[in-house]
Amino acid sequence: MSVVRDSIETPTAERLSALGITVLERGWLSSNNILLTGGHEAALIDTGYATHADLTVELVRQALGERPLARILNTHLHSDHCGGNAALKAAWPDSRIAIPPGLAHAVRTWDAVELSHAPTGQQCPRFAADELLTPGTPLNLGGLHWEVLAAQGHDPHAVILFQPTHRILVSADALWANGFGVVFPELEGESGFDEVRATLKLIESLNPDIVIPGHGSVFTGPAVREALRLAHSRLEQFETDPARHRRHALKVLIKFKLLEWQRCRLDTLTDWFLASDYFCRIARRDSAAPMQEVLDGLLSQLERSGALRRDDELVLNA
Ligand SMILES: [Zn+2]
């Protein structure tokens, strides 16, 4: 009879909470924020997008109460994962910011092109890094031991974090329940798909029980296996048809801006799109059509999929 008790699944949030881990699930403009309070220093992994920074500070403050935030860590430096760094540092001046080593120099000199914020037309307030999150070095976070693992593909400098005792993976944009982030190196003709596969294999070998993704809800058990299956099949689709991946990427970047703006005039969106050499370079690989035409096509596809609405000269997030 006692077997019944053992077979009851504790809800995931409770399991995480017992370890001092709180996942602040955000939307797609801001990455999830993962708060670790189990140790003597409270730590936050990933900080969301700049326009949500005040809310991020407020959410963290509510969760921490009087306790200060001591550490801020970024899995990678895309604007939706480190856009709250500056505001959090201002709120807790003694906190230390840790970043993966690949872009340490770009952060030091604040090279907005190298950091990808300028080419993608995104914003990210400047911050300074105090520490490095180097793959292979042990990390003690929230009273737990974590492994820092390189996770190339979506971003060549990204890391994921794994807690082996409880088999918890902070997967960032390397694995979501329904895929993974745009494979940015491939957009400019560099290798990225092979690295995505290697990262998925690495995740398989870790055999995580709980995955805390960069976006979307936490998933566990069979859902992890399903996410990996889906990610492999998505990767194969992109490899077979790289132009499809490039179109997907441009649509993701437009949708991201619409999430930020919510609504804008079509000419404002057009000016924003045409101002980016980066978007032009990506589009030029598949089409010699004028960029205005390329943008119209992408907006039509986004409208058909329900990602935006158009009302006369207005473009609205949907
Ligand atoms: Zn990312």
Side-chain angles (χ1 to χ4, degrees):
M1 291 300 282
S2 63
V3 176
V4 175
R5 176 183 282 259
D6 290 340
S7 68
I8 293 171
E9 270 281 323
T10 317
T12 309
E14 269 176 44
R15 282 169 66 193
L16 290 174
S17 166
L19 297 168
I21 301 173
T22 308
V23 180
L24 304 171
E25 188 182 332
R26 310 293 293 271
W28 286 87
L29 181 61
S30 275
S31 66
N32 292 336
N33 317 130
I34 305 149
L35 191 60
L36 298 103
T37 54
H40 64 283
E41 288 187 319
L44 187 73
I45 303 171
D46 285 343
T47 66
Y49 192 62
T51 54
H52 288 169
D54 289 347
L55 177 61
T56 304
V57 170
E58 197 43 47
L59 291 169
V60 172
R61 207 188 288 285
Q62 274 173 24
L64 286 180
E66 292 298 301
R67 220 177 146 189
L69 180 65
R71 304 188 68 183
I72 297 164
L73 305 97
N74 299 120
T75 56
H76 61 303
L77 299 182
H78 285 159
S79 65
D80 55 332
H81 289 254
C82 65
N85 281 17
L88 288 157
K89 179 80 178 182
W92 289 281
D94 292 333
S95 60
R96 306 182 319 274
I97 297 178
I99 59 167
L103 289 172
H105 181 262
V107 167
R108 216 172 299 123
T109 56
W110 204 253
D111 183 338
V113 173
E114 184 73 20
L115 289 168
S116 84
H117 309 149
T120 53
Q122 298 170 4
Q123 43 171 319
C124 185
R126 183 169 185 166
F127 62 87
D130 305 293
E131 297 169 348
L132 294 179
L133 209 48
T134 307
T137 56
L139 174 69
N140 198 295
L141 216 53
L144 295 166
H145 163 73
W146 294 80
E147 293 170 5
V148 182
L149 302 154
Q152 298 190 352
H154 165 67
D155 177 301
H157 310 294
V159 299
I160 53 177
L161 305 177
F162 184 63
Q163 206 297 315
T165 317
H166 304 280
R167 288 170 38 225
I168 301 168
L169 177 72
V170 172
S171 66
D173 293 345
L175 181 69
W176 302 331
N178 62 346
F180 47 81
V182 164
V183 188
F184 282 96
E186 287 283 343
L187 300 180
E188 296 206 277
E190 288 157 29
S191 170
F193 294 146
D194 288 346
E195 287 77 0
V196 168
R197 178 166 292 106
T199 295
L200 293 176
K201 286 193 169 149
L202 167 69
I203 293 174
E204 272 154 10
S205 74
L206 298 171
N207 188 24
D209 185 37
I210 299 178
V211 175
I212 306 174
H215 302 267
S217 302
V218 172
F219 50 97
T220 65
V224 176
R225 289 189 288 282
E226 176 58 16
L228 284 162
R229 194 196 59 77
L230 223 115
H232 276 293
S233 114
R234 184 141 253 247
L235 174 61
E236 276 160 33
Q237 284 171 3
F238 286 151
E239 280 178 320
T240 313
D241 186 358
R244 175 182 172 162
H245 172 253
R246 287 189 284 271
R247 270 196 312 278
H248 164 74
L250 289 173
K251 284 188 278 184
V252 164
L253 290 162
I254 293 169
K255 172 70 180 177
F256 186 88
K257 203 62 191 175
L258 266 181
L259 280 167
E260 179 187 335
W261 285 346
Q262 288 300 314
R263 59 191 323 192
C264 62
R265 291 180 50 85
L266 177 59
D267 50 15
T268 308
L269 187 68
T270 304
D271 289 347
W272 168 81
F273 189 79
L274 298 185
S276 165
D277 291 342
Y278 182 64
F279 298 157
C280 294
R281 283 202 305 278
I282 297 167
R284 281 282 160 269
R285 292 171 61 96
D286 303 304
S287 166
M291 281 301 285
Q292 179 74 59
E293 216 172 279
V294 172
L295 176 62
D296 285 345
L298 294 166
L299 291 178
S300 297
Q301 288 178 30
L302 282 164
E303 192 173 21
R304 274 200 301 278
S305 67
L308 62 79
R309 281 192 302 117
R310 280 200 270 192
D311 184 2
D312 220 5
E313 280 305 292
L314 281 182
V315 184
L316 302 107
N317 182 48

Coordinates of all heavy atoms in Angstrom, one line a residue, residues 75-81 154-155 172-173 176 181-182 184 215, ligand 1:
T75 N 23.3 33.3 -19.8 CA 23.6 32.1 -20.7 C 24.3 32.5 -22.0 O 25.1 31.8 -22.5 CB 22.4 31.3 -21.0 OG1 21.4 32.1 -21.6 CG2 21.8 30.7 -19.7
H76 N 23.8 33.6 -22.5 CA 24.4 34.3 -23.7 C 23.9 35.7 -23.7 O 23.1 36.1 -22.9 CB 24.1 33.5 -25.0 CG 22.6 33.4 -25.3 ND1 21.7 32.8 -24.5 CD2 21.9 33.7 -26.4 CE1 20.5 32.8 -25.0 NE2 20.6 33.4 -26.2
L77 N 24.5 36.4 -24.7 CA 24.3 37.9 -24.6 C 23.3 38.4 -25.6 O 23.4 39.6 -26.0 CB 25.7 38.6 -24.7 CG 26.6 38.2 -23.5 CD1 27.9 38.9 -23.6 CD2 26.0 38.4 -22.2
H78 N 22.4 37.6 -26.1 CA 21.3 38.2 -26.9 C 20.5 39.2 -26.1 O 20.4 39.0 -24.8 CB 20.4 37.1 -27.5 CG 21.1 36.3 -28.6 ND1 20.7 35.0 -29.0 CD2 22.1 36.7 -29.4 CE1 21.5 34.7 -30.0 NE2 22.3 35.6 -30.3
S79 N 20.0 40.2 -26.7 CA 19.4 41.3 -26.0 C 18.2 40.9 -25.1 O 17.9 41.5 -24.1 CB 18.9 42.4 -27.0 OG 17.8 41.8 -27.7
D80 N 17.6 39.8 -25.4 CA 16.4 39.3 -24.6 C 16.9 38.5 -23.4 O 16.1 38.1 -22.6 CB 15.4 38.5 -25.4 CG 16.0 37.4 -26.2 OD1 17.2 37.4 -26.5 OD2 15.3 36.4 -26.4
H81 N 18.2 38.3 -23.3 CA 18.7 37.5 -22.1 C 19.6 38.4 -21.2 O 19.8 38.0 -20.0 CB 19.5 36.3 -22.6 CG 18.7 35.2 -23.2 ND1 18.4 34.0 -22.5 CD2 18.0 35.2 -24.4 CE1 17.6 33.3 -23.3 NE2 17.3 34.0 -24.4
H154 N 22.8 27.9 -31.8 CA 22.0 29.1 -31.8 C 22.9 30.4 -31.6 O 22.8 31.4 -32.3 CB 21.0 29.1 -30.6 CG 20.4 30.4 -30.2 ND1 19.5 31.0 -31.0 CD2 20.5 31.1 -29.1 CE1 19.1 32.1 -30.4 NE2 19.7 32.2 -29.3
D155 N 23.9 30.2 -30.8 CA 24.9 31.3 -30.6 C 26.2 30.6 -30.3 O 26.3 29.8 -29.4 CB 24.4 32.2 -29.4 CG 25.4 33.3 -29.0 OD1 26.6 32.9 -28.7 OD2 25.0 34.4 -29.1
A172 N 18.6 27.5 -21.9 CA 18.6 28.8 -22.7 C 17.8 28.6 -24.0 O 16.7 28.1 -24.0 CB 20.0 29.3 -22.8
D173 N 18.5 29.0 -25.1 CA 17.8 28.9 -26.4 C 18.3 27.7 -27.2 O 18.0 27.6 -28.4 CB 18.0 30.2 -27.2 CG 17.3 31.4 -26.6 OD1 16.4 31.2 -25.7 OD2 17.6 32.5 -27.0
W176 N 14.0 24.3 -26.5 CA 12.7 24.7 -26.0 C 11.8 23.5 -26.2 O 12.1 22.6 -26.8 CB 12.1 25.9 -26.8 CG 13.0 27.1 -26.9 CD1 13.8 27.6 -26.0 CD2 13.0 28.1 -28.0 NE1 14.4 28.8 -26.4 CE2 13.9 29.1 -27.6 CE3 12.3 28.2 -29.2 CZ2 14.2 30.2 -28.4 CZ3 12.6 29.3 -30.0 CH2 13.5 30.3 -29.6
G181 N 16.3 28.2 -30.7 CA 16.4 29.5 -31.3 C 17.0 29.5 -32.7 O 17.7 28.5 -33.1
V182 N 16.8 30.6 -33.4 CA 17.4 30.8 -34.7 C 18.9 30.4 -34.7 O 19.6 30.8 -33.7 CB 17.2 32.2 -35.2 CG1 18.1 32.6 -36.3 CG2 15.8 32.5 -35.5
F184 N 21.9 31.5 -35.6 CA 22.5 32.8 -36.2 C 23.7 32.6 -37.1 O 23.8 33.2 -38.1 CB 22.7 33.8 -35.1 CG 21.4 34.4 -34.6 CD1 20.7 34.0 -33.5 CD2 20.9 35.5 -35.3 CE1 19.5 34.5 -33.1 CE2 19.7 36.1 -35.0 CZ 19.0 35.6 -33.9
H215 N 12.8 30.3 -23.0 CA 11.4 30.8 -23.2 C 10.4 29.7 -23.1 O 10.7 28.6 -23.5 CB 11.3 31.4 -24.7 CG 12.3 32.5 -24.9 ND1 12.0 33.8 -24.7 CD2 13.6 32.5 -25.3 CE1 13.1 34.6 -25.1 NE2 14.0 33.8 -25.4
Ligands
ZN1 ZN 19.2 33.8 -27.9

